[in-house]
Amino acid sequence: MSKQSTTVKLSSDFETVLADSSSQVASFDTNEKSLMMKFQHFLHSSPAMVPLIVLIMSIIFFGALVGGKFFSAFALTLILQQVAITGIVGLAQTLVVLTAGIDLSVGAIMVLSSVIMGQFTMRYGIPAPVSILCGIGFGGLMGALNGFLVAKIKLPPFIVTLGTWQIYSATVYIYGNNETIRSQDIEAASPLFQLLGHSFRIGSAVFTYGVVLLLIMAAVLWYILSKTAWGRHVYAVGDDPEAAKLAGVSVTKMLISVYLFAGVICGIAGWALIGRVGSISPQSGQFANIESITAVVIGGTSLFGGRGSILGTIFGAMTVGVFALGLRLWGTDPQWTFLTVGVLIISAVAVDQWIRKVAG
Amino acid sequence: MKKTIVSAALGALALGVVFSAPAQAADVSACLITKTESNPFFVKMKEGATAKAQELGVTLKAYAGKAEGDNESQVAAIETCIADGAKGILLVATDTKAIVPTVKKARDAGLVVIALDTQLDPPESADATFATDNFLAGTLIGKWAAGTLGDKAKDAKIGLLDINASQPSVDVQRDQGFLTGFGIDVKDVKKNGDEDDPRIVGNEYSNASEEGARTAVENLLQKDSDLNVVYTINEPAAAGAYEALKAVGKEKDVLIVSVDGGCPGVKNVAEGVIGATSQQYPLMMAALGVEAIKKFADTGELPKPTEGKNFFDTGVSLVTDKPVAGVESIDTKTGTDKCWG
């Protein structure tokens, strides 16, 4: 009897226990705990901010230290010219690193593409525009081979590109007969080859077409990565390939397309390299892979994949350029540049880890 | 126990090397080790050595570093030559101090080591040296630059494009020779960059390549836009320097001087890209080197150095179409006949 009455009471009052519960819709913690937390959260949501702050601070620092020789439109645009090649290769490297990979062969692809462009015209008499397209095409092929080995054969990217770096570098010498093609001969063959080295002025600022190309490519890539499905998939594959696969992303196809795209960008860098150096020399771009990885890391892109930005890489490359020119104008031994860049790399990753705590 | 096995194995290996050498005595083999494979100077050197080796019936193997300053590859190459039972090594050292212990290893194993183009540091580390008098090569272009500027040499603005931080002897001799020829006090003649003459804008590292030289000259121009003389370590660097000057429209106002005398370089002198260059003779160096190894294998005799110098001087001539009184030179036509690469 008493038992029955309790049951009745329960069945009619089962919602009264919810009276004291929260009635808010489920939401994430907004981190509005302290100013520091807010700042940390802001940095976490915009990965290009830290490198931008570092870049602006280093420009101000050297401007104060060296003065007008450094802090002028001419010098600052000169830095852009000096980092244009690293910047373009850095774009390719960013794509690969976003997928949690790494590409050590970028510099070799760039130089081999430039040698192909020159030799196709000098040796076989192919018109320059076709040669340049062939060079970029072969860049894509080399990238696709990297992608195939990573995605299909399932080898680690570091190992694959360590191998192809040597293969492509050796091909530069074997195919190019170890020869340097003189700047004047290239100019005589076609002005198109050195087009990206030509410059125009705005006041005392000097821009080469190579720099313009870098900025255009950065804008296009930024758009692709943030506004298209393919771009979002790059992040998804880098962040968690298993989850991406479950969400219907073809991880294998994505990886191959990313490496192929990176190869094409390196081919374009090869064209820009001819403009910058004038001649086509197998000695060029020896350290482009290390320089591009440096730009990517200082630019706040995580080597674990899935986090980072194109703009960050551009700021990272510029920061290295600022330190290189600034320290040279200040009159120090070039070794100080390398030392400072080393400190920057480690600081960048440390800052990145600190920002990630927000999510942790 | 383990130790004995290891030492026995090492002993066997050493014996193997020793016994394999006489086995090849009938056919003399030599190695050529250069700095890089891309610089036409070394490409030419290899051609000269290969041609001479074929003529004398010597087997020649060629090795090179990956880039200027790549000492590790040269060490590995020398070790390979020792293991290979070669009679002698022709070496263009990229790091003249660091390579010395490895060279000693080769000489202790009974090989003759001949330095080409660049003296080792100390020079007597090699059995002999066939080289250009690099200090003289520098002095010639220094005198020419000062003579061309005339009265304006007093307020010249000079930029120097050296190779790299390790300052190999060839780098120092050319740089210091150039400054001496120009009439500048060089302080320590064994060191680049310790001068305090206000006419020097700065020393930059170019890695002796086009790319490095371009950035180097851009930096110098930022330091002092009145730059009007650029000394370059070699002609690829001169080409890169010219590109940087052309970009700012200053190619007509700056004298570029260089060392090498390769065909592309002489062509650049004829076209006014380079003012003057000191021509050296790599084909001769390489051919003489191969001959010396063959002679050593046959008779045990070593080549004698040039009178008054601690190396065998293969000669140098200043190539320019704008001769200066008091500095002996040849024109680009003659230079083209004698050029290499």
Side-chain angles (χ1 to χ4, degrees), chain A residues 179-185, chain B residues 39-41 44 210 235-236 238-239 260-271 273-274 277 279 335-336 339-341:
Chain A
E179 66 182 0
T180 301
I181 309 176
R182 276 189 349 142
S183 176
Q184 291 86 334
D185 299 338
Chain B
N39 186 331
F41 185 85
K44 251 319 116 172
E210 294 85 350
E235 285 151 4
D260 254 358
C263 296
V266 174
K267 216 166 161 182
N268 277 343
V269 175
E271 289 171 18
V273 170
I274 301 174
T277 191
Q279 187 169 48
T336 309
C339 76
W340 43 268

Side-chain angles (χ1 to χ4, degrees), chain B residues 143-164:
Chain B
K143 278 187 179 159
W144 181 88
T148 305
L149 286 175
D151 292 342
K152 284 190 292 189
K154 291 197 306 299
D155 358 288
K157 295 284 180 201
I158 305 167
L160 300 140
L161 301 197
D162 299 324
I163 299 183
N164 59 25

Side-chain angles (χ1 to χ4, degrees), chain A residues 69 74-75 78 82 173 178 180 182-184 187 276-277 279 281-286 325 328-329 334, chain B residues 37-38 43 66-67 165 203-205 210-211 214-215 218-219 222-223 243 246 248 264 267-268 271 273:
Chain A
K69 272 185 188 161
F74 182 84
L78 175 66
Q82 294 188 336
Y173 286 97
N178 302 343
T180 301
R182 276 189 349 142
S183 176
Q184 291 86 334
E187 210 169 356
R276 165 92 186 141
V277 179
S279 47
S281 161
Q283 292 187 86
S284 300
Q286 305 246 9
L325 188 70
R328 295 303 289 128
L329 289 179
Chain B
E37 292 218 333
S38 53
V43 175
K66 291 192 191 73
N203 294 62
E204 291 275 341
Y205 300 138
E210 294 85 350
E211 195 182 13
R214 164 127 201 198
T215 306
E218 285 171 346
N219 293 348
Q222 265 322 94
K223 278 187 180 168
E243 288 297 319
K246 202 166 72 173
V248 292
K267 216 166 161 182
N268 277 343
E271 289 171 18
V273 170

Side-chain angles (χ1 to χ4, degrees), chain A residues 225-240:
Chain A
L225 280 176
S226 49
K227 307 284 180 215
T228 68
W230 186 87
R232 301 321 293 168
H233 289 176
V234 171
Y235 281 94
V237 168
D239 200 33
D240 189 343

